[in-house]
Amino acid sequence: MKRILVIDDDPGITSLLRRGLSYEGFSVATAASGEEGLHIARDTPPDLVILDLMLPGIDGHEVLHRLHSVDAQLPVLMLTARDTPDDQIKAFGFGAEDYVIKPFRFEVLLARIQARLRQSQARSAELRYADLRLHPESHQVFRGERELELTGLEFRLLHTFMRQPERVLSKQILLDQVWGTDFFGDANIVEVYVKQLRQKLEAEGEPRLIQTLRGVGYVLREKST
């Protein structure tokens, strides 16, 4: 059962969507503020978020930014009365996958939700880079034919690299996407886990795939010869 989180301070909207989406077979959680929505998303990660822009406290753009700093692949559909091009451009710039303007037809919204979930499922298929294979659903990782035993954090770290191969990721980006925006510990924890992950990836003498760019960050890249 796919989990949908609706973040909207209009009880009429949340009630309508809870009833309609539950009838369609979804598990639905609702939040009346951005802060409440972020707490729910952290404790029970959703498969898709329906997000209003005009919220008490932090607005929808900031909520979207924080959601994607933790999970850049989370599909977020904006549902709002704000219909200016600037609002839409800003939302898409923060990574929104769709933008529906109120008032709306439930059938149209449902079709868009289903389309976004199909795209998300396609992205959750096996990831490959060089001789690495990662299965998001089963949490299995292979280097060639060798299966690696990774901790949950090591798996999330490698998953983050494999979703963004050959992109340089700073320590801060890795902290936000792997540990979460509410992590306030020592940033050197990234070095510790990269070292542990490398040891497992290179346990049988395989060439290094996670490269260090000193003063910049890390990148999943085959080293040129």
Side-chain angles (χ1 to χ4, degrees):
M1 183 179 291
K2 295 292 185 181
R3 296 186 300 274
I4 295 180
L5 171 60
V6 180
I7 307 176
D8 196 308
D9 64 337
D10 183 339
I13 294 291
T14 54
S15 178
L16 169 67
L17 293 182
R18 184 189 296 109
R19 290 197 309 270
L21 294 172
S22 297
Y23 180 80
E24 295 294 332
F26 295 104
S27 172
V28 183
T30 63
S33 70
E35 290 89 345
E36 183 185 4
L38 290 170
H39 283 303
I40 294 173
R42 180 191 62 195
D43 295 339
T44 309
D47 296 297
L48 180 141
V49 174
I50 298 173
L51 176 63
D52 190 13
L53 276 179
M54 296 182 287
L55 295 168
I58 58 175
D59 69 8
H61 288 128
E62 179 61 21
V63 174
L64 174 59
H65 172 67
R66 295 191 193 183
L67 287 169
H68 275 176
S69 70
V70 175
D71 182 359
Q73 303 301 310
L74 176 65
V76 178
L77 185 154
M78 309 305 296
L79 180 62
T80 177
R82 288 169 60 171
D83 60 355
T84 70
D86 286 346
D87 284 321
Q88 296 180 52
I89 290 167
K90 188 174 181 180
F92 284 122
F94 276 129
E97 294 210 356
D98 209 338
Y99 199 102
V100 178
I101 297 170
K102 300 174 182 177
F104 62 96
R105 287 186 58 188
F106 178 78
E107 296 82 359
V108 174
L109 179 66
L110 177 62
R112 293 190 175 191
I113 290 169
Q114 292 168 334
R116 300 289 82 77
L117 287 172
R118 284 195 298 270
Q119 291 175 349
S120 178
Q121 186 171 351
R123 287 197 297 263
S124 70
E126 179 186 75
L127 299 176
R128 290 175 176 259
Y129 186 82
D131 60 349
L132 271 179
R133 291 178 291 129
L134 182 147
H135 299 266
E137 297 296 326
S138 64
H139 274 230
Q140 289 178 291
V141 177
F142 295 87
R143 180 102 200 233
E145 298 303 313
R146 178 169 66 89
E147 184 170 2
L148 281 62
E149 293 186 9
L150 303 183
T151 66
L153 250 171
E154 290 166 349
F155 182 89
R156 292 204 301 273
L157 181 59
L158 182 60
H159 192 198
T160 299
F161 279 117
M162 291 189 71
R163 289 201 319 262
Q164 304 164 89
E166 302 190 4
R167 176 190 172 192
V168 178
L169 302 174
S170 68
K171 280 186 183 180
Q172 190 58 55
I173 289 174
L174 291 170
L175 282 171
D176 288 346
Q177 295 189 8
V178 180
W179 280 265
T181 54
D182 56 355
F183 175 80
F184 296 105
D186 189 340
N188 289 328
I189 195 171
V190 176
E191 295 178 18
V192 173
Y193 274 87
V194 167
K195 181 179 180 180
Q196 290 177 190
L197 186 54
R198 280 173 171 162
Q199 289 172 344
K200 294 183 178 182
L201 289 172
E202 304 166 14
E204 295 189 1
E206 295 95 339
R208 176 156 296 180
L209 288 177
I210 300 177
Q211 315 297 340
T212 300
L213 278 68
R214 297 201 177 278
V216 181
Y218 301 93
V219 58
L220 182 68
R221 178 189 297 160
E222 293 185 272
K223 196 168 185 177
S224 57
T225 57

